[in-house]
């Protein structure tokens, strides 16, 4: 037996998973992805192998095959308990069997039963997904590991497998398998840019087509792979009609643009300060919050609620935004650390959403989290129940944030989600979200397909924000030429958009039909009736007759994985296996940067952080917590603060800056006080206000000159500064009104 | 079920234990429940499996972790289970078995009460299903 490099330390057992290869084919904003997991039993006994792994949250898993020593077995999607019964019966009878269960929309379990000694098995999992819109680009995400998830009390009790057990596979600092990746891209217009902030990639591009692969031969499975594709025509509104074996389907894709005045709001920042947010994540949160605090608009109210094992609010109630409240908040943010223990998101969000609303002001929650909890259903359901009075705008932070939680909360509450992977700066994304908080969205969108025989994938279309892509799916009996009308209300006024639909231009395939069916299933899975049914066996039994059976029927018809259906394949053997197979759980790699811990590099605080997590997350892989201290880990050092951050931290709530030593240092301005007095001599208006006007103009000029690349980060606060200047009732001696200060400042800033 | 010989299929064991087949497999994988008896298609469970299943289930529902259950199993050969408490004191916990005999009908049995044979249990379950039907008006 040769098990070199695959043996779990200290146990003598092997890790049967050897390699993962991923093929992706992107056509416009849809991708078909095949994940091939290669296993080999290098032990002398039959094995049952269990591997918990992540998939894209939007994945519609439509194919599952097992190839055993060259022979292919195709899986079928059947009702979940029935799939398990087929798997278990096959195992008991000595046959081979393969099972794919969906634990959550982004966590799956593959089970390989009775793998014979020496046998090689390849599991092939195929899914289609829609690429997320990120500004003008499309974002492809391939999660590769399941981060350790905090399990609140109820998720650790009850009969096995509990959510804590199902969602926390054994975790190791390093695993002997890696992944390779290839992607073909075919866009409707010329590709402008393909890049990845998470992995070095090689790109061969020719017009609208490209092929992409990892620059390294293979990569560790410890972080998401994120690829951004920018191409012409991504924003063009269109209706795509498809015909295939699963019937006809249509996709409406468009990016509306509209302008409406910003509205004051109550903004509650809900900040995850659990141990897993340590290191780079919490540092980025601090920077982003400082920007947000300066970007709040006059008339708004705000609060900051931090959570870990418990939660704590800065103010008892949301306070009006002014200099005093802003300074108090800024001081809290400066000292913020990931020191609050576990991840009790549910009670924290309950507290926020349960507060009395401010009359006449929408409540907007800005949640920053790595999303590593097991009770995603309960949290999403809570956001859904409060959707009428609060929208949640969420951020998934880190190399392995739970897409399902982060997107699910936003979807349920009519907000929006963003993800920040290591290597991507948080500030621009936070401010893009921040802009959404204050901008009116197209509410209550509805689609009139203009023809009979249409089954909309979703009863409810989420609000649509200006400049962002909306994708709406439907299953069609027989597509007809005509027009599709999207209506909604914008700032209280009705609006409508018309798009032509032409069956003559239909494409062959089943991607859109599959995505449409998945969208319908997701709506059922995230509806209150289903989410509230997740719990005791008795309650689940009651739900079986309702939404659960609707989900199962749809998933079986379209051959999809879901919470109610699993894929199963059986390898009938002429000579069944005698004796029981030994269980091998495949460990997953600890997410890069999890809790501030980096591979290669030392940590004494990890054990304390990890105490918030189920301890078995580490144990099965032979890496007990006491072993971690000797594994030469390192806590990533804090990055040097940027000059931009230093300047932003000095801005006052009203938008102005003060002319003091800290300001002069931030903008590297060293004129003598006599020179400053000279610039201010003869200025019109209150002398002290004129000094602040000069400083404010210098700050704007400095941002324009030295932070052009980060414009999106400071645009809102610069607008607020200009607004303050315009009402300062001052102007320099040379005249030109308040704009004259900007002329003076631009000459001063080098 | 071959009640005469006390043999239980996995579905029967799951039904009497009020758990899913997945739970039984999980307990076997975690060595909390002995593997089935026999080989191939003759594999089956018996009364000792049911007793053990109900013990583990009751302990887990009382908030014990699987590690605690394993530790308790080593320490206590039958009877109540004792675990060392935080300050070294011994926490005595009484363990009850809970059997779901029919939808909405449970039988609670203290650990030191001997369970009837599986065949007899099944007869009681059949009686419950026949004589204690669900109220179609709802659950109130």
């Amino acid at each position: 037996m040769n098990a070199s490099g695959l043996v779990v330390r200290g146990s003598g057992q092997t890790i049967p998973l050897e390699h993962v290869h991923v093929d992706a084919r992107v056509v416009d904003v849809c991708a078909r992805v095949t994940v091939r997991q290669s296993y080999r039993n290098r032990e002398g006994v039959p094995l049952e192998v269990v591997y918990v792994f992540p998939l894209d949250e939007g994945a519609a898993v439509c194919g599952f095959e097992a190839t055993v020593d060259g022979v292919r077995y195709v899986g079928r999607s059947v009702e979940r308990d029935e799939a398990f019964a087929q798997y278990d019966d096959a195992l008991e009878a000595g046959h081979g069997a393969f099972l794919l269960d969906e634990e959550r929309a982004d966590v799956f379990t593959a089970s390989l039963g009775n793998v014979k000694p020496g046998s090689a098995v390849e599991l092939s999992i195929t899914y289609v997904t829609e690429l997320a819109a990120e500004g003008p680009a499309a974002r492809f995400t391939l999660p590769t590991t399941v981060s350790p998830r905090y399990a609140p009390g109820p998720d650790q009790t009850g009969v096995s497998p509990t959510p804590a057990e199902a969602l926390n596979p054994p975790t190791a600092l390093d695993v002997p398998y890696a992944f390779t990746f290839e992607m073909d891209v075919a866009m409707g217009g010329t590709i402008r840019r393909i890049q990845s902030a998470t992995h070095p990639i090689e790109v061969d591009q020719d017009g609208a087509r490209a092929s992409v692969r990892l620059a390294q031969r293979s990569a560790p499975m410890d972080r998401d792979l994120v690829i951004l594709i920018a191409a012409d025509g991504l924003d063009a509104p269109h209706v795509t009609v498809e015909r295939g074996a699963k019937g006809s389907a249509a996709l409406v894709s468009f990016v509306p643009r509209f302008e409406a005045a910003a509205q004051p709001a109550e903004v509650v920042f809900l900040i995850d300060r659990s141990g897993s947010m340590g290191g780079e994540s919490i540092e980025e949160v601090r920077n982003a919050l400082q920007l947000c605090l300066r970007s709040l608009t006059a008339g708004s109210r705000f609060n900051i609620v931090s959570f870990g094992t418990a939660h704590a609010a800065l103010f008892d109630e949301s306070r009006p935004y002014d200099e005093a409240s802003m300074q108090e908040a800024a001081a809290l943010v400066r000292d913020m650390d990931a020191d609050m223990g576990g991840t009790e998101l549910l009670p924290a969000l309950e507290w926020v959403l349960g507060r009395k609303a401010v009359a006449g002001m929408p409540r907007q929650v800005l949640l920053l989290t790595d999303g590593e909890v097991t009770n995603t259903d309960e949290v999403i359901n809570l956001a859904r129940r409060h959707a009428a009075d609060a929208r949640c705008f969420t951020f998934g932070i880190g190399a392995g944030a739970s897409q399902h939680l982060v997107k699910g909360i936003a979807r349920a509450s009519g907000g929006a989600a963003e993800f920040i992977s290591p290597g991507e700066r948080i500030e621009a994304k936070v401010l893009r979200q921040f802009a959404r908080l204050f901008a009116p969205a197209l509410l209550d969108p509805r689609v009139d397909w203009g023809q009979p025989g249409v089954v909309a994938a979703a009863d409810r279309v989420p609000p649509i924000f200006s400049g962002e892509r909306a994708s709406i799916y439907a299953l069609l009996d027989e597509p007809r030429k005509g027009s599709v009308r999207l209506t909604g209300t914008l700032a209280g006024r009705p609006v409508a958009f018309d798009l032509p639909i032409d069956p003559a231009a239909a494409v062959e395939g089943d991607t859109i039909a599959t995505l449409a069916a998945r969208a319908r299933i997701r709506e059922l899975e995230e509806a209150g009736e289903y989410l509230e049914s997740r719990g005791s066996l008795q309650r689940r039994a009651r739900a079986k007759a309702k939404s659960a059976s609707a989900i199962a029927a749809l998933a079986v018809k379209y051959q999809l994985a879901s919470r109610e259906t699993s894929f199963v394949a059986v390898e009938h053997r002429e000579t069944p296996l005698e004796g029981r197979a030994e269980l091998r759980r495949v460990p997953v790699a600890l997410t890069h940067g999890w809790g501030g811990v980096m591979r290669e590099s030392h940590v004494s605080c990890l054990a304390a952080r990890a105490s918030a997590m189920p301890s078995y997350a580490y144990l099965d892989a032979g890496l007990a917590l006491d072993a971690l201290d000797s594994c030469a880990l390192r806590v990533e050092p804090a990055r040097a603060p940027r000059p931009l951050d230093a300047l932003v931290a000095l801005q006052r709530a009203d938008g102005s800056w003060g002319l003091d030593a800290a300001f002069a240092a931030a903008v590297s301005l060293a004129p003598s006080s006599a020179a400053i007095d000279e610039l201010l001599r003869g200025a019109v208006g209150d002398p002290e206000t004129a000094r602040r006007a000069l400083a404010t103009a210098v700050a704007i000029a400095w941002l324009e000159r030295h932070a052009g690349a980060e414009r999106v980060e400071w645009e809102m606060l610069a607008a607020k500064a200009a607004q303050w200047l315009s009402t300062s009732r001052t102007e320099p001696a040379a005249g030109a009104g308040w704009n004259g200060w900007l002329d003076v400042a631009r000459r001063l800033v080098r | 079920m071959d009640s005469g010989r006390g043999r239980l299929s996995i579905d029967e064991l799951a039904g009497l234990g009020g758990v899913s087949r997945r739970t039984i497999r999980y307990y076997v994988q975690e060595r909390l429940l002995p593997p089935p008896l026999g080989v191939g298609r003759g594999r089956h469970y018996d009364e000792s499996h049911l007793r053990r299943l109900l013990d583990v289930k009751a302990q887990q529902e009382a908030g014990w972790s699987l590690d605690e259950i394993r530790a308790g199993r080593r320490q206590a050969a039958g009877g109540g289970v004792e675990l060392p408490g935080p300050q070294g004191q011994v926490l005595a916990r009484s363990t009850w078995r809970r059997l779901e005999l029919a939808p909405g009908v449970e039988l609670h049995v203290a650990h030191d009460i001997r369970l009837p044979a599986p065949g007899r249990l099944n007869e009681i379950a059949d009686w419950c299903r026949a004589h204690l039907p669900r109220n179609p008006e709802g659950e109130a």
Side-chain angles (χ1 to χ4, degrees), chain A residues 489-538:
Chain A
T489 55
L490 182 63
R493 301 168 66 170
V495 292
F497 303 85
D498 290 304
L499 294 169
I501 179 168
D502 185 3
V507 295
E508 293 294 320
D510 56 18
T511 299
I512 292 176
T514 303
L515 285 170
R518 182 70 188 95
R520 180 72 190 140
I521 289 170
R522 184 165 64 193
E523 185 171 80
L524 290 168
E525 287 178 340
E526 293 182 359
E529 185 209 344
Y530 186 73
L531 289 177
E532 280 157 18
S533 74
R534 309 300 298 174
S536 72
L537 282 172
Q538 287 89 339

Side-chain angles (χ1 to χ4, degrees), chain A residues 48 50 80-81 83-85 87-89 91-93 95 99 101 156-162 165 537-538 542 566 577-580 582-583 585 615 619, chain B residues 10-11 18-32 35-36 39-41 43 45 57 60-64 66-67 98 100 106 134 139:
Chain A
E48 181 181 12
V50 176
R80 187 178 166 101
D81 288 345
F84 183 78
Y87 173 81
D88 201 39
D89 286 345
L91 261 61
E92 291 300 311
H95 299 301
L99 181 68
D101 288 316
Q156 296 187 44
T157 53
V159 295
S160 294
T162 62
E165 292 161 345
L537 282 172
Q538 287 89 339
R542 283 205 298 275
S566 299
L577 217 60
E578 296 280 335
R580 293 200 70 78
E582 295 272 327
L583 175 68
R585 294 190 194 280
S615 59
L619 298 177
Chain B
I10 189 167
D11 286 325
V19 299
S20 67
R21 283 181 68 158
R22 282 176 194 267
T23 299
I24 292 173
R25 170 161 281 279
Y26 196 86
Y27 287 161
V28 172
Q29 287 173 336
E30 294 292 327
R31 299 179 190 279
L32 290 160
V39 292
R41 296 199 173 275
R43 287 180 185 179
Y45 300 82
K57 184 188 167 200
Q60 214 179 5
E61 286 178 334
W64 294 29
L66 299 186
D67 286 339
R98 205 179 91 187
E100 187 170 339
E106 290 183 346
R134 274 201 176 281
E139 299 146 43

Side-chain angles (χ1 to χ4, degrees), chain A residues 682-705:
Chain A
V684 174
D686 170 59
E688 188 49 42
T689 308
R691 282 179 69 83
R692 282 171 58 195
L694 176 61
T696 303
V698 167
I700 294 171
W702 187 94
L703 291 168
E704 290 170 345
R705 188 172 180 85

Side-chain angles (χ1 to χ4, degrees), chain B residues 49-104:
Chain B
H49 288 95
L50 176 60
R51 218 170 28 239
R52 179 69 197 144
L53 170 64
L54 294 170
D55 287 348
V56 173
K57 184 188 167 200
Q59 289 168 324
Q60 214 179 5
E61 286 178 334
W64 294 29
S65 72
L66 299 186
D67 286 339
E68 286 174 325
I69 295 170
R70 278 191 210 94
R73 191 183 180 193
R74 281 196 295 272
Q75 289 185 16
V81 176
E82 293 179 342
L83 287 175
Q87 276 82 45
Q89 80 274 27
V90 170
L91 301 177
R93 303 193 193 187
S94 67
T95 306
W96 288 68
R97 304 172 185 131
R98 205 179 91 187
L99 292 90
E100 187 170 339
L101 293 176

